Amino acid sequence: MPPSPVKETEAMLEWYRAMGVDEAVGETPFDCFAAEAPAPSPRKAAAPSGPARAPTLLAGNLIEAAASLAELEALVAGFEGCVLKRTAKSLCFARGSDTARLMLIGEAPGRDEDLQGKPFVGRAGKLLDRMLASIGLSEEHVYITNTVYWRPPGNRTPTPEEIEACAPFLARQIELLDPAVLVLLGGAAAKSILGTSEGIMRLRGKWLSYDCAGRAVPTLATLHPAYLLRNPEAKRLAWRDMLMVKQALS
Ligand code: URA
């Protein structure tokens, strides 16, 4: 049986959609496979020439244009490039103060976070709050977020693709907050922010550096509170790390 033109067109449109081509860019439809392309419309003529830019690059320009954390949150809320959004109930952008000097980055929202739409509000979050209180800090002194903004189904570890999809937003989030000190909670955050494959036990407890738009931000990787809940004997290491943070902020 000859292939149905309708089925072929549907397959082609599905392929476009999967490649991220989900928007018409001209007023008049044209056959871009024809030998001669039509003259560009005046609106398109003003646009930069060259190959069509990938959706991620377009998103990159928008992200750079976000002038405040609230604007960036609105962009993340409208972002469809991370599959985790499809299964999550809520966006977990951040918790804490937009003027905090200390920024903490965890791995991914869990069930409680998904229900409340805020990072670190479950058991691990309660422990994190106690750790911060032990060095005299509360929610108004800190800004907390994660490597991904939506809960991975069943609390699985986010994939490198999911982390990568959120990474440009996270980089801009750090830039906009411009923290004095950055703390990375666990291996996933350390890997995403520092681009290292070194394990958390080797990374923790020493000052590292994160390049925030040309400024070196003192950065400390430490154990994830969820790990500390499972391994209470490791709390003494985390306590040492918290004292380093306290000193750096003083
Ligand atoms: N664990 C994380 O890494 N982030 C949260 O928000 C909650 C638990």
Side-chain angles (χ1 to χ4, degrees):
M1 206 166 57
S4 135
V6 174
K7 285 263 169 298
E8 277 190 353
T9 308
E10 276 175 2
M12 186 181 74
L13 287 174
E14 176 50 28
W15 184 81
Y16 278 162
R17 199 198 54 73
M19 293 295 114
V21 184
D22 55 5
E23 200 182 342
V25 292
E27 306 294 333
T28 334
F30 64 90
D31 179 1
C32 61
F33 298 111
E36 274 191 37
S41 69
R43 192 168 68 87
K44 287 305 290 171
S49 59
R53 285 177 299 165
T56 48
L57 292 182
L58 293 175
N61 290 344
L62 281 176
I63 294 166
E64 283 308 304
S68 67
L69 288 162
E71 273 183 38
L72 186 68
E73 179 171 1
L75 282 184
V76 175
F79 179 58
E80 302 296 335
C82 179
V83 290
L84 294 176
K85 188 180 182 184
R86 295 185 200 158
T87 47
K89 287 192 175 56
S90 1
L91 162 67
C92 297
F93 185 68
R95 159 166 97 83
S97 160
D98 285 7
T99 57
R101 294 176 65 227
L102 175 61
M103 179 171 191
L104 300 107
I105 304 176
E107 182 175 313
R111 185 174 170 276
D112 295 310
E113 288 74 22
D114 191 32
L115 289 174
Q116 293 189 41
K118 283 184 193 173
F120 280 102
V121 290
R123 269 187 80 218
K126 299 274 176 285
L127 175 58
L128 179 61
D129 286 350
R130 289 201 298 278
M131 289 161 67
L132 291 167
S134 74
I135 55 166
L137 300 175
S138 59
E139 199 174 86
E140 68 263 29
H141 303 114
V142 300
Y143 182 92
I144 307 174
T145 189
N146 282 303
T147 61
V148 294
Y149 300 107
W150 296 273
R151 178 195 185 194
N155 292 352
R156 65 162 169 74
T157 305
T159 65
E161 291 74 23
E162 290 156 358
I163 291 179
E164 204 179 308
C166 297
F169 295 98
L170 183 55
R172 184 72 183 138
Q173 205 172 0
I174 302 173
E175 240 172 73
L176 287 169
L177 186 75
D178 198 19
V181 173
L182 190 57
V183 168
L184 308 175
L185 299 165
K191 195 170 172 191
S192 163
I193 298 297
L194 302 170
T196 174
S197 56
E198 190 134 35
I200 189 67
M201 281 301 178
R202 292 178 78 89
L203 282 176
R204 63 148 291 278
K206 57 183 180 226
W207 285 110
L208 305 162
S209 177
Y210 173 78
D211 179 356
C212 175
R215 185 174 76 84
V217 183
T219 301
L220 190 78
T222 189
L223 302 170
H224 193 287
Y227 175 85
L228 298 175
L229 287 172
R230 293 191 304 272
N231 302 275
E233 72 285 355
K235 283 185 184 168
R236 65 189 173 83
L237 300 176
W239 170 237
R240 278 193 222 155
D241 298 344
M242 295 313 286
L243 289 179
M244 288 174 72
V245 173
K246 182 180 182 185
Q247 196 178 20
L249 289 171
S250 64

PDB file of all heavy atoms in Angstrom, residues 207-231:
ATOM      1  N   TRP A 207      37.735  25.008  50.699  1.00  0.00           N
ATOM      2  CA  TRP A 207      37.194  26.083  49.879  1.00  0.00           C
ATOM      3  C   TRP A 207      37.523  25.861  48.410  1.00  0.00           C
ATOM      4  O   TRP A 207      38.667  25.598  48.054  1.00  0.00           O
ATOM      5  CB  TRP A 207      37.704  27.456  50.344  1.00  0.00           C
ATOM      6  CG  TRP A 207      37.013  27.868  51.607  1.00  0.00           C
ATOM      7  CD1 TRP A 207      37.559  27.949  52.856  1.00  0.00           C
ATOM      8  CD2 TRP A 207      35.624  28.191  51.745  1.00  0.00           C
ATOM      9  NE1 TRP A 207      36.604  28.305  53.765  1.00  0.00           N
ATOM     10  CE2 TRP A 207      35.397  28.471  53.118  1.00  0.00           C
ATOM     11  CE3 TRP A 207      34.545  28.273  50.865  1.00  0.00           C
ATOM     12  CZ2 TRP A 207      34.143  28.821  53.607  1.00  0.00           C
ATOM     13  CZ3 TRP A 207      33.298  28.624  51.362  1.00  0.00           C
ATOM     14  CH2 TRP A 207      33.104  28.892  52.711  1.00  0.00           C
ATOM     15  N   LEU A 208      36.480  25.953  47.605  1.00  0.00           N
ATOM     16  CA  LEU A 208      36.612  25.853  46.152  1.00  0.00           C
ATOM     17  C   LEU A 208      36.121  27.190  45.611  1.00  0.00           C
ATOM     18  O   LEU A 208      35.766  28.094  46.380  1.00  0.00           O
ATOM     19  CB  LEU A 208      35.769  24.683  45.636  1.00  0.00           C
ATOM     20  CG  LEU A 208      36.072  23.327  46.309  1.00  0.00           C
ATOM     21  CD1 LEU A 208      34.950  22.343  46.082  1.00  0.00           C
ATOM     22  CD2 LEU A 208      37.401  22.771  45.801  1.00  0.00           C
ATOM     23  N   SER A 209      36.082  27.305  44.292  1.00  0.00           N
ATOM     24  CA  SER A 209      35.698  28.589  43.739  1.00  0.00           C
ATOM     25  C   SER A 209      34.714  28.383  42.586  1.00  0.00           C
ATOM     26  O   SER A 209      34.858  27.459  41.788  1.00  0.00           O
ATOM     27  CB  SER A 209      36.969  29.276  43.244  1.00  0.00           C
ATOM     28  OG  SER A 209      36.641  30.479  42.637  1.00  0.00           O
ATOM     29  N   TYR A 210      33.714  29.260  42.524  1.00  0.00           N
ATOM     30  CA  TYR A 210      32.772  29.237  41.399  1.00  0.00           C
ATOM     31  C   TYR A 210      32.854  30.584  40.691  1.00  0.00           C
ATOM     32  O   TYR A 210      32.784  31.635  41.323  1.00  0.00           O
ATOM     33  CB  TYR A 210      31.339  28.992  41.904  1.00  0.00           C
ATOM     34  CG  TYR A 210      30.306  29.127  40.812  1.00  0.00           C
ATOM     35  CD1 TYR A 210      30.110  28.106  39.891  1.00  0.00           C
ATOM     36  CD2 TYR A 210      29.538  30.290  40.685  1.00  0.00           C
ATOM     37  CE1 TYR A 210      29.174  28.237  38.868  1.00  0.00           C
ATOM     38  CE2 TYR A 210      28.601  30.428  39.674  1.00  0.00           C
ATOM     39  CZ  TYR A 210      28.429  29.392  38.765  1.00  0.00           C
ATOM     40  OH  TYR A 210      27.504  29.531  37.755  1.00  0.00           O
ATOM     41  N   ASP A 211      33.040  30.533  39.389  1.00  0.00           N
ATOM     42  CA  ASP A 211      33.163  31.767  38.611  1.00  0.00           C
ATOM     43  C   ASP A 211      31.772  32.315  38.287  1.00  0.00           C
ATOM     44  O   ASP A 211      31.064  31.776  37.430  1.00  0.00           O
ATOM     45  CB  ASP A 211      33.945  31.461  37.317  1.00  0.00           C
ATOM     46  CG  ASP A 211      34.087  32.707  36.445  1.00  0.00           C
ATOM     47  OD1 ASP A 211      33.537  33.766  36.798  1.00  0.00           O
ATOM     48  OD2 ASP A 211      34.759  32.611  35.404  1.00  0.00           O
ATOM     49  N   CYS A 212      31.405  33.387  38.984  1.00  0.00           N
ATOM     50  CA  CYS A 212      30.089  33.995  38.789  1.00  0.00           C
ATOM     51  C   CYS A 212      30.292  35.279  38.005  1.00  0.00           C
ATOM     52  O   CYS A 212      30.642  36.313  38.581  1.00  0.00           O
ATOM     53  CB  CYS A 212      29.452  34.256  40.153  1.00  0.00           C
ATOM     54  SG  CYS A 212      27.905  35.130  40.089  1.00  0.00           S
ATOM     55  N   ALA A 213      30.109  35.207  36.701  1.00  0.00           N
ATOM     56  CA  ALA A 213      30.287  36.370  35.815  1.00  0.00           C
ATOM     57  C   ALA A 213      31.608  37.089  36.098  1.00  0.00           C
ATOM     58  O   ALA A 213      31.644  38.304  36.261  1.00  0.00           O
ATOM     59  CB  ALA A 213      29.103  37.322  35.964  1.00  0.00           C
ATOM     60  N   GLY A 214      32.678  36.323  36.230  1.00  0.00           N
ATOM     61  CA  GLY A 214      34.000  36.920  36.419  1.00  0.00           C
ATOM     62  C   GLY A 214      34.402  37.103  37.878  1.00  0.00           C
ATOM     63  O   GLY A 214      35.544  37.440  38.164  1.00  0.00           O
ATOM     64  N   ARG A 215      33.455  36.921  38.798  1.00  0.00           N
ATOM     65  CA  ARG A 215      33.799  37.031  40.225  1.00  0.00           C
ATOM     66  C   ARG A 215      33.944  35.625  40.811  1.00  0.00           C
ATOM     67  O   ARG A 215      33.081  34.765  40.596  1.00  0.00           O
ATOM     68  CB  ARG A 215      32.710  37.794  40.985  1.00  0.00           C
ATOM     69  CG  ARG A 215      33.067  38.041  42.462  1.00  0.00           C
ATOM     70  CD  ARG A 215      32.032  38.919  43.127  1.00  0.00           C
ATOM     71  NE  ARG A 215      30.790  38.225  43.438  1.00  0.00           N
ATOM     72  CZ  ARG A 215      30.594  37.506  44.538  1.00  0.00           C
ATOM     73  NH1 ARG A 215      31.556  37.362  45.436  1.00  0.00           N
ATOM     74  NH2 ARG A 215      29.428  36.921  44.740  1.00  0.00           N
ATOM     75  N   ALA A 216      35.023  35.396  41.549  1.00  0.00           N
ATOM     76  CA  ALA A 216      35.241  34.071  42.164  1.00  0.00           C
ATOM     77  C   ALA A 216      34.454  34.011  43.470  1.00  0.00           C
ATOM     78  O   ALA A 216      34.760  34.742  44.414  1.00  0.00           O
ATOM     79  CB  ALA A 216      36.726  33.870  42.423  1.00  0.00           C
ATOM     80  N   VAL A 217      33.438  33.176  43.511  1.00  0.00           N
ATOM     81  CA  VAL A 217      32.624  33.045  44.731  1.00  0.00           C
ATOM     82  C   VAL A 217      33.179  31.887  45.564  1.00  0.00           C
ATOM     83  O   VAL A 217      33.263  30.750  45.072  1.00  0.00           O
ATOM     84  CB  VAL A 217      31.140  32.754  44.388  1.00  0.00           C
ATOM     85  CG1 VAL A 217      30.295  32.689  45.652  1.00  0.00           C
ATOM     86  CG2 VAL A 217      30.595  33.792  43.438  1.00  0.00           C
ATOM     87  N   PRO A 218      33.565  32.146  46.834  1.00  0.00           N
ATOM     88  CA  PRO A 218      34.019  31.054  47.692  1.00  0.00           C
ATOM     89  C   PRO A 218      32.916  29.998  47.818  1.00  0.00           C
ATOM     90  O   PRO A 218      31.779  30.321  48.162  1.00  0.00           O
ATOM     91  CB  PRO A 218      34.279  31.731  49.042  1.00  0.00           C
ATOM     92  CG  PRO A 218      34.306  33.191  48.765  1.00  0.00           C
ATOM     93  CD  PRO A 218      33.511  33.434  47.526  1.00  0.00           C
ATOM     94  N   THR A 219      33.270  28.778  47.506  1.00  0.00           N
ATOM     95  CA  THR A 219      32.272  27.713  47.398  1.00  0.00           C
ATOM     96  C   THR A 219      32.687  26.502  48.219  1.00  0.00           C
ATOM     97  O   THR A 219      33.830  26.043  48.125  1.00  0.00           O
ATOM     98  CB  THR A 219      32.124  27.325  45.904  1.00  0.00           C
ATOM     99  OG1 THR A 219      31.715  28.495  45.186  1.00  0.00           O
ATOM    100  CG2 THR A 219      31.135  26.206  45.686  1.00  0.00           C
ATOM    101  N   LEU A 220      31.746  26.009  49.001  1.00  0.00           N
ATOM    102  CA  LEU A 220      32.035  24.844  49.844  1.00  0.00           C
ATOM    103  C   LEU A 220      31.054  23.725  49.514  1.00  0.00           C
ATOM    104  O   LEU A 220      29.836  23.940  49.546  1.00  0.00           O
ATOM    105  CB  LEU A 220      31.893  25.239  51.317  1.00  0.00           C
ATOM    106  CG  LEU A 220      32.389  24.200  52.308  1.00  0.00           C
ATOM    107  CD1 LEU A 220      33.905  24.228  52.401  1.00  0.00           C
ATOM    108  CD2 LEU A 220      31.790  24.450  53.688  1.00  0.00           C
ATOM    109  N   ALA A 221      31.577  22.565  49.204  1.00  0.00           N
ATOM    110  CA  ALA A 221      30.708  21.392  49.013  1.00  0.00           C
ATOM    111  C   ALA A 221      30.622  20.688  50.365  1.00  0.00           C
ATOM    112  O   ALA A 221      31.613  20.599  51.092  1.00  0.00           O
ATOM    113  CB  ALA A 221      31.302  20.477  47.961  1.00  0.00           C
ATOM    114  N   THR A 222      29.422  20.230  50.697  1.00  0.00           N
ATOM    115  CA  THR A 222      29.272  19.505  51.965  1.00  0.00           C
ATOM    116  C   THR A 222      28.292  18.347  51.777  1.00  0.00           C
ATOM    117  O   THR A 222      27.760  18.144  50.691  1.00  0.00           O
ATOM    118  CB  THR A 222      28.831  20.462  53.106  1.00  0.00           C
ATOM    119  OG1 THR A 222      28.915  19.752  54.350  1.00  0.00           O
ATOM    120  CG2 THR A 222      27.418  20.975  52.926  1.00  0.00           C
ATOM    121  N   LEU A 223      28.085  17.607  52.856  1.00  0.00           N
ATOM    122  CA  LEU A 223      27.226  16.419  52.750  1.00  0.00           C
ATOM    123  C   LEU A 223      25.759  16.836  52.685  1.00  0.00           C
ATOM    124  O   LEU A 223      25.346  17.800  53.331  1.00  0.00           O
ATOM    125  CB  LEU A 223      27.485  15.505  53.956  1.00  0.00           C
ATOM    126  CG  LEU A 223      28.957  15.082  54.060  1.00  0.00           C
ATOM    127  CD1 LEU A 223      29.239  14.395  55.380  1.00  0.00           C
ATOM    128  CD2 LEU A 223      29.325  14.178  52.887  1.00  0.00           C
ATOM    129  N   HIS A 224      25.000  16.086  51.912  1.00  0.00           N
ATOM    130  CA  HIS A 224      23.581  16.391  51.757  1.00  0.00           C
ATOM    131  C   HIS A 224      22.845  16.021  53.051  1.00  0.00           C
ATOM    132  O   HIS A 224      23.116  14.970  53.629  1.00  0.00           O
ATOM    133  CB  HIS A 224      23.029  15.582  50.574  1.00  0.00           C
ATOM    134  CG  HIS A 224      21.682  16.044  50.144  1.00  0.00           C
ATOM    135  ND1 HIS A 224      20.548  15.807  50.881  1.00  0.00           N
ATOM    136  CD2 HIS A 224      21.285  16.755  49.059  1.00  0.00           C
ATOM    137  CE1 HIS A 224      19.512  16.344  50.263  1.00  0.00           C
ATOM    138  NE2 HIS A 224      19.942  16.925  49.150  1.00  0.00           N
ATOM    139  N   PRO A 225      21.912  16.887  53.506  1.00  0.00           N
ATOM    140  CA  PRO A 225      21.184  16.566  54.741  1.00  0.00           C
ATOM    141  C   PRO A 225      20.492  15.192  54.701  1.00  0.00           C
ATOM    142  O   PRO A 225      20.390  14.524  55.736  1.00  0.00           O
ATOM    143  CB  PRO A 225      20.159  17.683  54.874  1.00  0.00           C
ATOM    144  CG  PRO A 225      20.651  18.779  54.010  1.00  0.00           C
ATOM    145  CD  PRO A 225      21.550  18.196  52.975  1.00  0.00           C
ATOM    146  N   ALA A 226      20.009  14.761  53.529  1.00  0.00           N
ATOM    147  CA  ALA A 226      19.361  13.445  53.443  1.00  0.00           C
ATOM    148  C   ALA A 226      20.386  12.343  53.744  1.00  0.00           C
ATOM    149  O   ALA A 226      20.064  11.327  54.374  1.00  0.00           O
ATOM    150  CB  ALA A 226      18.750  13.241  52.058  1.00  0.00           C
ATOM    151  N   TYR A 227      21.614  12.541  53.325  1.00  0.00           N
ATOM    152  CA  TYR A 227      22.683  11.579  53.634  1.00  0.00           C
ATOM    153  C   TYR A 227      22.938  11.575  55.142  1.00  0.00           C
ATOM    154  O   TYR A 227      23.128  10.518  55.756  1.00  0.00           O
ATOM    155  CB  TYR A 227      23.953  11.971  52.863  1.00  0.00           C
ATOM    156  CG  TYR A 227      25.160  11.113  53.188  1.00  0.00           C
ATOM    157  CD1 TYR A 227      25.367   9.901  52.535  1.00  0.00           C
ATOM    158  CD2 TYR A 227      26.072  11.512  54.156  1.00  0.00           C
ATOM    159  CE1 TYR A 227      26.465   9.104  52.849  1.00  0.00           C
ATOM    160  CE2 TYR A 227      27.174  10.731  54.471  1.00  0.00           C
ATOM    161  CZ  TYR A 227      27.365   9.525  53.812  1.00  0.00           C
ATOM    162  OH  TYR A 227      28.448   8.743  54.130  1.00  0.00           O
ATOM    163  N   LEU A 228      22.898  12.759  55.733  1.00  0.00           N
ATOM    164  CA  LEU A 228      23.141  12.854  57.185  1.00  0.00           C
ATOM    165  C   LEU A 228      22.029  12.172  57.982  1.00  0.00           C
ATOM    166  O   LEU A 228      22.280  11.610  59.044  1.00  0.00           O
ATOM    167  CB  LEU A 228      23.265  14.319  57.603  1.00  0.00           C
ATOM    168  CG  LEU A 228      24.437  15.081  56.973  1.00  0.00           C
ATOM    169  CD1 LEU A 228      24.392  16.550  57.374  1.00  0.00           C
ATOM    170  CD2 LEU A 228      25.777  14.464  57.372  1.00  0.00           C
ATOM    171  N   LEU A 229      20.809  12.204  57.438  1.00  0.00           N
ATOM    172  CA  LEU A 229      19.709  11.509  58.126  1.00  0.00           C
ATOM    173  C   LEU A 229      19.944  10.003  58.126  1.00  0.00           C
ATOM    174  O   LEU A 229      19.633   9.309  59.086  1.00  0.00           O
ATOM    175  CB  LEU A 229      18.373  11.816  57.441  1.00  0.00           C
ATOM    176  CG  LEU A 229      17.789  13.218  57.655  1.00  0.00           C
ATOM    177  CD1 LEU A 229      16.576  13.441  56.767  1.00  0.00           C
ATOM    178  CD2 LEU A 229      17.410  13.429  59.122  1.00  0.00           C
ATOM    179  N   ARG A 230      20.537   9.532  57.040  1.00  0.00           N
ATOM    180  CA  ARG A 230      20.810   8.076  56.942  1.00  0.00           C
ATOM    181  C   ARG A 230      22.110   7.701  57.637  1.00  0.00           C
ATOM    182  O   ARG A 230      22.299   6.557  58.034  1.00  0.00           O
ATOM    183  CB  ARG A 230      20.902   7.653  55.464  1.00  0.00           C
ATOM    184  CG  ARG A 230      19.602   7.757  54.685  1.00  0.00           C
ATOM    185  CD  ARG A 230      19.725   7.078  53.322  1.00  0.00           C
ATOM    186  NE  ARG A 230      20.821   7.597  52.522  1.00  0.00           N
ATOM    187  CZ  ARG A 230      20.727   8.645  51.687  1.00  0.00           C
ATOM    188  NH1 ARG A 230      19.565   9.273  51.566  1.00  0.00           N
ATOM    189  NH2 ARG A 230      21.766   9.048  50.988  1.00  0.00           N
ATOM    190  N   ASN A 231      23.033   8.652  57.759  1.00  0.00           N
ATOM    191  CA  ASN A 231      24.356   8.382  58.341  1.00  0.00           C
ATOM    192  C   ASN A 231      24.675   9.429  59.405  1.00  0.00           C
ATOM    193  O   ASN A 231      25.510  10.315  59.185  1.00  0.00           O
ATOM    194  CB  ASN A 231      25.433   8.426  57.249  1.00  0.00           C
ATOM    195  CG  ASN A 231      25.161   7.439  56.137  1.00  0.00           C
ATOM    196  OD1 ASN A 231      25.512   6.279  56.217  1.00  0.00           O
ATOM    197  ND2 ASN A 231      24.503   7.929  55.091  1.00  0.00           N
TER     198      ASN A 231
END
